[in-house]
Amino acid sequence: MKLRLKLFLTLEYVLFILSFVFLYKFNQQPLSISKFIFFALTLFILSNLSVFINTSNKITTQIGIPIIIPAIIILGPFWSSLVTLIGTIPITKLKNNFVWYKFIFNQTIFFLATGCAALTFEITKSFLSTPYFFLPLLIANVIFFVINNGSVFLVMLIENYNQDFSVLLYFLKLTKNIPIVYFLGLLFYYTYINLGQSFLILGIVLIYFSKDILYAHIKRLNHYTQIIESFLKVIDSKDNYTKKHCERVSEYAEIVCRQMQLKPSKTNQIVQMAKIHDIGKICIPDSILKATGHLTDDQYEKMKGHSNYGYELLQDIELISSNLDLIRYHHEHYDGKGYPEGLIGKDIPLGARILATCDAFEVMTNGRLYKPPMTKEKVLAEFKECSGTQFDPQISKLMINLIKAGEFDYIFKDNIKKYEEEYDVAVNFN
Ligand SMILES: [Fe+2]
Ligand SMILES: [Fe+2]
């Protein structure tokens, strides 16, 4: 163990002893054994049973922590601190990798954090002289968070001194737990006061199980995003330009979906599919995909296969298989002259119609080697002309309105200049 870590831990142990003596000496609250046992036992069971890990932001929330709030209000600083000291003992961890100084550190920090939070609550409560204690309780909650997580943060910083400051980011992310703990704590307190211990237990059990359902849902969403991001990497490894194209199409699709006021879940589905809509291009030979001139008829026919390839490639992945029509039909035209199946009008899924519009918009505004980008006026004219033929007239009209409203001005701003620089050519519009 490093010397500075030893010094820090020693300081922390001394602080614990001093605070224990202080809180015991000035304790004015008589002990209610039944309440003490109830809170300590509930906290102990919850601490050892449930840890809620949100994998999207890697934040861990111990569902037992909010029970400390009613303990603070009901038992006062000394007894609530003792409840936390005992109730947070991680029996499962003790069996596996027990490190004595880590164990003592964790338990004493819990005691210190609860003690300071409870003292702050008592002081601010009387100072503010209000019948309600929402604000003092919130301050106490923040104090608990800062001491409890701040000390862990300090240990991590001491151990990784000069190496990695990502722990600070982790600490900042954890602040999201403050409101969760606060509101759950209040809920626990009012349930206990108004309905009694048995209802509090019932409430906790309900939260425990709903947490599992929520967790399963978040896990599913994470897997979905991970699949999409992995395939985006696959596209990138084949052709970086196609990856950037997909990302831009997804960006525009999000703007269109928002404007259409689609449900967030539908929007997410379209945006995610847009990110990989050209995944089928990984099956197209480089000689065609990266051709520097116009494609021959034969090459174009092969290129057209990419929408079906994409569909076939991903159809066995259960999590996204129901959304693959968006990939398959993103080159269909509203008048039935698109590919692969020549679907007409509303037979083309809405998401695929949105993708087709955004896909074409990306090509118009970014250009290709043999095709310079269009000006804003030209793009507007194109959407007017192709409304009802290539594009869904409603989506086309929406695009025209968005472009006129300046929603895409950031694209038009430098697109021609960027194109000229990238391909080292001069664009002539005459
Ligand atoms: Fe495509
Ligand atoms: Fe595309």
Side-chain angles (χ1 to χ4, degrees):
M1 203 197 313
K2 289 171 186 165
L3 180 66
R4 53 178 177 264
L5 189 60
K6 271 186 191 166
L7 286 172
F8 179 77
L9 293 181
T10 313
L11 178 72
E12 198 269 320
Y13 299 156
V14 171
L15 272 175
F16 162 70
I17 294 166
L18 289 176
S19 65
F20 191 96
V21 174
F22 176 82
L23 289 177
Y24 180 71
K25 228 173 154 26
F26 293 96
N27 176 41
Q28 290 165 347
Q29 200 105 349
L31 172 65
S32 161
I33 295 178
S34 62
K35 287 176 185 169
F36 183 87
I37 292 175
F38 171 76
F39 281 112
L41 202 63
T42 311
L43 182 58
F44 180 76
I45 294 168
L46 283 176
S47 301
N48 283 284
L49 269 185
S50 60
V51 174
F52 174 43
I53 303 163
N54 182 342
T55 48
S56 67
N57 52 21
K58 301 275 186 280
I59 287 178
T60 306
T61 310
Q62 266 199 325
I63 203 168
I65 298 295
I67 203 79
I68 297 170
I69 287 186
I72 285 176
I73 305 169
I74 292 161
L75 298 174
F78 180 70
W79 298 117
S80 62
S81 304
L82 214 54
V83 159
T84 320
L85 178 77
I86 300 165
T88 52
I89 292 175
I91 207 80
T92 39
K93 268 192 196 170
L94 292 186
K95 272 191 246 161
N96 301 324
N97 44 10
F98 179 72
V99 183
W100 69 269
Y101 64 88
K102 274 189 186 170
F103 170 72
I104 296 177
F105 172 78
N106 283 334
Q107 297 322 111
T108 51
I109 278 297
F110 271 126
F111 183 91
L112 271 171
T114 312
C116 291
L119 266 182
T120 313
F121 174 67
E122 292 295 323
I123 294 163
T124 47
K125 194 177 66 171
S126 55
F127 177 71
L128 288 168
S129 65
T130 158
Y132 298 104
F133 45 69
F134 300 116
L135 184 62
L137 204 60
L138 181 64
I139 299 169
N141 189 22
V142 173
I143 297 276
F144 179 89
F145 171 84
V146 171
I147 297 177
N148 186 26
N149 295 295
S151 52
V152 178
F153 167 68
L154 277 177
V155 169
M156 287 163 88
L157 207 60
I158 290 168
E159 279 195 318
N160 301 301
Y161 187 63
N162 273 351
Q163 284 174 27
D164 182 11
F165 281 84
S166 62
V167 280
L168 180 63
L169 273 177
Y170 178 75
F171 180 69
L172 291 175
K173 272 187 180 178
L174 278 176
T175 53
K176 285 183 187 168
N177 280 344
I178 294 178
I180 301 173
V181 170
Y182 179 67
F183 287 113
L184 271 180
L186 275 177
L187 183 74
F188 288 172
Y189 172 70
Y190 280 110
T191 310
Y192 182 89
I193 290 297
N194 296 311
L195 303 169
Q197 290 182 351
S198 41
F199 269 89
L200 177 57
I201 297 290
L202 188 70
I204 291 170
V205 170
L206 283 175
I207 289 172
Y208 180 73
F209 284 109
S210 54
K211 170 213 71 146
D212 281 348
I213 295 166
L214 182 71
Y215 179 47
H217 178 67
I218 291 171
K219 221 172 163 184
R220 205 180 133 84
L221 284 179
N222 285 339
H223 283 164
Y224 194 100
T225 316
Q226 282 160 8
I227 289 172
I228 302 294
E229 293 305 321
S230 303
F231 280 111
L232 195 59
K233 279 183 193 160
V234 173
I235 298 173
D236 191 23
S237 66
K238 169 78 176 176
D239 181 26
N240 177 260
Y241 192 89
T242 304
K243 180 224 175 195
K244 284 182 180 164
H245 158 75
C246 287
E247 283 177 328
R248 284 193 287 261
V249 172
S250 151
E251 185 184 312
Y252 308 154
E254 193 168 2
I255 296 173
V256 172
C257 291
R258 224 188 305 130
Q259 192 66 16
M260 292 176 86
Q261 296 180 331
L262 298 184
K263 276 187 197 166
S265 57
K266 183 84 184 161
T267 299
N268 187 50
Q269 180 201 82
I270 297 170
V271 169
Q272 297 296 340
M273 281 301 118
K275 275 189 194 167
I276 55 165
H277 73 276
D278 277 333
I279 179 79
K281 285 189 180 172
I282 64 169
C283 304
I284 306 291
D286 279 354
S287 57
I288 300 175
L289 188 62
K290 296 177 184 176
T292 50
H294 283 284
L295 299 179
T296 63
D297 288 349
D298 186 43
Q299 285 176 322
Y300 186 58
E301 278 309 310
K302 278 189 181 140
M303 185 65 137
K304 277 162 71 177
H306 79 275
S307 43
N308 259 337
Y309 294 147
Y311 173 81
E312 282 158 20
L313 206 65
L314 306 179
Q315 63 179 342
D316 294 330
I317 303 174
E318 205 189 314
L319 208 55
I320 56 171
S321 58
S322 58
N323 304 329
L324 294 182
D325 278 353
L326 274 68
I327 290 182
R328 193 181 202 177
Y329 300 127
H330 77 272
H331 282 289
E332 295 289 1
H333 287 184
Y334 200 74
D335 60 3
K337 291 183 179 163
Y339 63 88
E341 288 181 18
L343 297 181
I344 301 175
K346 301 267 156 69
D347 285 348
I348 308 165
L350 174 69
R353 277 179 272 145
I354 294 174
L355 285 197
T357 315
C358 296
D359 189 60
F361 180 65
E362 198 280 336
V363 178
M364 288 184 222
T365 49
N366 281 280
R368 294 291 181 268
L369 178 60
Y370 47 87
K371 210 169 162 188
M374 294 179 181
T375 59
K376 188 171 170 177
E377 293 68 32
K378 265 203 153 181
V379 172
L380 281 169
E382 187 83 5
F383 272 118
K384 261 183 212 155
E385 200 188 314
C386 300
S387 170
T389 51
Q390 183 175 351
F391 308 120
D392 177 327
Q394 276 176 320
I395 303 171
S396 187
K397 195 175 167 201
L398 189 126
M399 279 304 278
I400 291 170
N401 290 340
L402 281 170
I403 295 167
K404 280 185 178 167
E407 189 73 36
F408 295 112
D409 277 1
Y410 71 99
I411 303 165
F412 291 109
K413 206 175 150 220
D414 291 321
N415 65 337
I416 293 164
K417 206 171 140 208
K418 272 190 214 154
Y419 179 84
E420 286 178 332
E421 279 169 11
E422 192 175 337
Y423 294 109
D424 198 21
V425 288
V427 177
N428 181 3
F429 291 108
N430 298 318

